Amino acid sequence: MFDAQRTAIKGSQQLFTQGLSAQSAVDRLAVTGVNGQESLQRQQLELAQAATHGYVDATTAMFPGEGSADAHRSVDEAFAQLKTTHAEFYDALERELERDADVADEFSEEFVDAFEDGTEQFLELSRSVEEQTVQSVDELSSQLSEQLERTQELQDQLEEQLERQSDDVADLLDRQAEQIEQLQQQLEEQAEEVTQQLQDQQVSAETKIETDPEHTLESVAGIDADVRERLADAGIATVDDLVRADAETVAEAADVSESDAEEWIDQAEA
């Protein structure tokens, strides 16, 4: 990019210098053209003077007299004055054009020198900026590369740490699952033991109630073996069962009167 800019600037400088040189050549050519124009007009004056003398000769031939010499002298004097004026005019014009051309050349040289100096300073500044830019870009690229390397290292470390933590978490979850499974198994075993103990206690209590004379229907007066059998068929096997039953149910099950049933219930409650 910087090389293209410098090439374009140098090309513009060359075109500008060539343009000034062309303008100077045009100015010099204008001076040469003035000289040619002066020579041509001088020749025209010579021809006009000769033609005027011819006209005077023709006139004096038609009208002879002593005025011919005076007429030729007057013509020569008039044309001499005209030639002098003509020469002075073109001399002044040529000097003015040459002076303008010299001034233009001097100005062009000074301007070209100043333009070249400014261009060189700009190109030098451009090279300096390019060097600084390239150096800054190199430094920035180096810093970015280092930063990317550090970032990659940190990312690798983080991935390794996450992998280790994932493994640790997986191991911890496995151990917790095993512990939970063991605890659940222990709880199931304990529940089975408690259930078995409760069942054993219930059976023991029922057996005790059934075998304890104080809890059997034998302790109730008026209830013989046949009545106990009929009551047992109705679900009344102990004193507690009898207390919980009503007189109508007991009377119907034992096939006795309700008054007898009420008496048995009163004995059981006592």
Side-chain angles (χ1 to χ4, degrees):
M1 180 181 68
F2 290 99
D3 292 338
Q5 289 179 349
R6 286 194 291 269
T7 301
I9 291 172
K10 289 181 179 179
S12 299
Q13 178 185 2
Q14 292 176 356
L15 289 175
F16 183 77
T17 303
Q18 291 174 359
L20 291 178
S21 299
Q23 183 63 41
S24 177
V26 170
D27 293 339
R28 296 299 177 185
L29 185 61
V31 174
T32 303
V34 168
N35 291 332
Q37 186 177 4
E38 178 188 6
S39 177
L40 179 61
Q41 289 182 358
R42 182 178 292 277
Q43 291 176 5
Q44 291 176 351
L45 287 175
E46 294 289 345
L47 291 174
Q49 183 178 2
T52 302
H53 281 297
Y55 176 76
V56 170
D57 289 339
T59 301
T60 55
M62 294 175 60
F63 303 99
E66 297 179 356
S68 175
D70 294 335
H72 282 293
R73 188 169 49 254
S74 297
V75 170
D76 290 338
E77 290 177 356
F79 273 95
Q81 182 64 35
L82 184 59
K83 290 178 181 179
T84 300
T85 302
H86 179 268
E88 291 177 353
F89 170 76
Y90 274 96
D91 288 341
L93 179 60
E94 184 178 357
R95 287 194 301 271
E96 188 68 21
L97 289 176
E98 288 180 351
R99 186 180 65 82
D100 292 341
D102 292 339
V103 171
D105 290 341
E106 182 179 358
F107 174 76
S108 297
E109 291 176 359
E110 293 177 355
F111 187 82
V112 168
D113 292 339
F115 184 74
E116 289 179 351
D117 292 340
T119 302
E120 289 299 328
Q121 291 177 0
F122 181 80
L123 293 175
E124 183 65 25
L125 178 61
S126 176
R127 284 190 290 269
S128 177
V129 171
E130 180 182 7
E131 292 175 357
Q132 294 177 0
T133 302
V134 171
Q135 183 178 0
S136 299
V137 170
D138 292 339
E139 292 177 355
L140 181 59
S141 299
S142 178
Q143 293 176 0
L144 288 176
S145 299
E146 293 177 358
Q147 185 65 31
L148 288 175
E149 291 178 358
R150 288 196 296 269
T151 302
Q152 186 63 40
E153 291 177 358
L154 291 175
Q155 183 176 358
D156 294 339
Q157 294 176 0
L158 181 60
E159 290 179 354
E160 293 177 359
Q161 184 177 0
L162 289 175
E163 186 176 356
R164 289 195 300 270
Q165 290 179 351
S166 298
D167 295 338
D168 295 340
V169 170
D171 294 339
L172 179 60
L173 291 176
D174 292 339
R175 290 195 298 271
Q176 289 181 349
E178 292 177 358
Q179 293 176 358
I180 291 173
E181 185 177 357
Q182 293 176 358
L183 180 60
Q184 184 177 2
Q185 185 176 359
Q186 292 176 0
L187 290 175
E188 290 177 355
E189 293 176 355
Q190 291 177 359
E192 291 178 357
E193 291 178 358
V194 171
T195 302
Q196 186 64 39
Q197 290 176 0
L198 291 175
Q199 290 177 354
D200 294 341
Q201 291 176 0
Q202 183 178 1
V203 171
S204 176
E206 291 177 353
T207 303
K208 181 178 180 181
I209 291 174
E210 291 177 355
T211 58
D212 189 353
E214 294 182 356
H215 290 82
T216 62
L217 295 179
E218 294 177 358
S219 62
V220 179
I223 298 178
D224 56 17
D226 293 335
V227 174
R228 288 198 299 274
E229 185 177 353
R230 288 195 296 272
L231 290 174
D233 292 338
I236 303 172
T238 64
V239 173
D240 293 335
D241 294 336
L242 183 59
V243 171
R244 288 191 294 269
D246 57 81
E248 183 179 358
T249 301
V250 173
E252 183 179 356
D255 193 16
V256 297
S257 63
E258 289 187 8
S259 60
D260 291 339
E262 290 177 354
E263 183 179 353
W264 293 345
I265 292 172
D266 291 339
Q267 292 182 36
E269 290 177 349

